[in-house]
């Protein structure tokens, strides 16, 4: 089950080294970081980490363009998106991959987001968290593959 992690980055500051440290050694077939025109030394830092990262650079065009550039590079069955200033719950990937395994018709899986302050303390939950058929909020939501390509986003 090849899983590719895609990280768009634009002037991430100290958040990027913390993220890279947490993701190193993860269950990924590849980790792609797209530097979206950073001017703060991001590219030099990424290149200093060695060959376990696939680093791409582009002129600043925004996070959507950086994600698209990374998707063009990705080769895998599953693609996980993680912005350079975000964190995942420890069991996020395990829950989502289990959902894909149990329901092969699923094409995309998403989660609700929890905002935290600089100290990592929760400030609230993003509205619109997915709901199950029973109306209760879920930790993740799944949808059929709209393109029929049998590739999935996490």
């Amino acid at each position: 089950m090849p899983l590719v992690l895609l990280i768009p980055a634009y002037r991430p500051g100290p958040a990027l080294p913390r993220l890279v440290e947490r993701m190193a050694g993860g269950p990924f077939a590849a980790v792609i970081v797209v530097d979206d025109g950073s001017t703060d030394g991001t590219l030099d830092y990424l290149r200093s980490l060695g060959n376990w990262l696939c680093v791409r650079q582009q002129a600043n065009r925004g996070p959507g363009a950086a994600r698209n550039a990374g998707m063009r590079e990705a080769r895998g069955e599953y693609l996980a998106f993680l912005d350079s200033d975000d964190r995942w719950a420890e069991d996020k990937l395990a829950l989502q991959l289990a959902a894909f395994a149990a329901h092969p018709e699923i094409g995309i899986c998403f989660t609700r987001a929890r905002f935290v302050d600089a100290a990592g303390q929760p400030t609230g939950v993003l509205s619109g968290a997915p709901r199950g058929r029973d109306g209760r909020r879920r930790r993740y939501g799944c949808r059929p593959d709209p393109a029929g390509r049998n590739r999935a986003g996490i």
Side-chain angles (χ1 to χ4, degrees):
M1 161 176 332
L3 173 62
V4 176
L5 175 62
L6 174 55
I7 304 169
Y10 175 69
R11 298 189 324 188
L16 186 61
R18 288 191 299 264
L19 172 70
V20 168
E21 183 179 312
R22 285 192 309 272
M23 294 298 115
F28 309 107
V31 177
I32 301 170
V33 182
V34 179
D35 176 29
D36 191 40
S38 297
T39 57
D40 63 352
T42 295
L43 189 61
D44 292 334
Y45 166 72
L46 291 169
R47 288 185 173 154
S48 76
L49 296 175
N51 294 333
W52 70 275
L53 288 174
C54 175
V55 178
R56 296 293 177 257
Q57 181 186 27
Q58 67 179 29
N60 180 251
R61 296 192 327 248
R67 287 184 195 99
N68 288 338
M71 284 190 294
R72 284 190 293 275
E73 296 282 329
R75 302 291 178 263
E77 186 176 357
Y78 298 99
L79 180 59
F81 297 96
L82 180 59
D83 286 0
S84 60
D85 61 345
D86 290 348
R87 297 185 320 194
W88 284 339
E90 299 244 348
D91 58 350
K92 173 197 174 352
L93 283 178
L95 288 169
Q96 290 180 302
L97 291 171
F100 281 120
H103 302 281
E105 72 280 7
I106 292 173
I108 188 167
C109 192
F110 54 92
T111 63
R112 61 184 174 178
R114 177 172 295 154
F115 292 101
V116 296
D117 62 21
Q121 297 302 310
T123 61
V125 175
L126 180 65
S127 63
R131 292 185 184 269
R133 289 188 178 144
D134 60 3
R136 292 185 12 214
R137 297 233 184 249
R138 301 286 184 219
R139 293 187 64 194
Y140 63 87
C142 300
R143 298 288 185 262
D145 181 1
R149 289 182 262 162
N150 294 325
R151 289 188 70 183
I154 295 178

